[in-house]
Amino acid sequence: MSGSAAGVERRPGRLRRMLDRLTSTHEELHAEELLHDSQRLGCTKIVDVVERDLITVGGTLRTVTFRPRAGVPALEAELYDGSGALSVVWLGRRRIAGIEPGRQLVAYGRVSTAQGRPVLFNPRYELRPVGRE
């Protein structure tokens, strides 16, 4: 009898997960998918990055803005992986082909912090394919 009781306990858990998935917002599902994709690539979760660590992070570029910093041109982007966001800054650049909102990117670099937010300055990067295969 205890075997059937254990089976009953598991079913609500699965049912709950299914219902949570069905009632999740589009943003929550997108965040979950982004996080899964970045972890599959071996990336560090943005929420877990530590200042001065050399990291690989992946995600979607939410915004891309040209912002001069101390008279030097700078292209600044926000990278989001489902767990959090960080800034990616390319000093001396006004524009980079392929760096645009909605594009998937994997970046490699050393973490800094600016105004309490993690930042990668002039990272090496790889643009991910636009379409899913």
Side-chain angles (χ1 to χ4, degrees), residues 2-119:
S2 65
S4 63
V8 171
E9 288 174 16
R10 280 192 306 243
R11 285 190 187 121
R14 274 190 229 137
L15 179 61
R16 177 86 262 157
R17 284 192 305 273
M18 287 173 42
L19 286 173
D20 287 347
R21 184 121 174 110
L22 289 172
T23 59
S24 294
T25 66
H26 176 69
E27 282 184 23
E28 291 170 334
L29 293 175
H30 182 67
E32 183 179 312
E33 184 179 310
L34 280 174
L35 191 55
H36 175 73
D37 287 348
S38 69
Q39 287 181 321
R40 184 178 48 79
L41 294 169
C43 297
T44 302
K45 288 183 195 177
I46 291 174
V47 73
D48 293 338
V49 301
V50 177
E51 188 173 14
R52 297 188 200 139
D53 277 357
L54 192 57
I55 60 163
T56 300
V57 290
T60 299
L61 294 174
R62 283 183 164 173
T63 61
V64 177
T65 313
F66 171 70
R67 265 194 200 119
R69 289 176 172 251
V72 175
L75 186 64
E76 187 172 323
E78 179 185 69
L79 183 68
Y80 177 72
D81 76 347
S83 73
L86 64 73
S87 295
V88 182
V89 178
W90 290 275
L91 296 170
R93 303 296 299 264
R94 294 178 187 278
R95 190 167 183 274
I96 299 173
I99 301 295
E100 56 195 27
R103 189 67 191 259
Q104 298 281 320
L105 177 96
V106 175
Y108 317 90
R110 190 161 309 274
V111 180
S112 298
T113 304
Q115 299 169 350
R117 183 176 189 160
V119 180

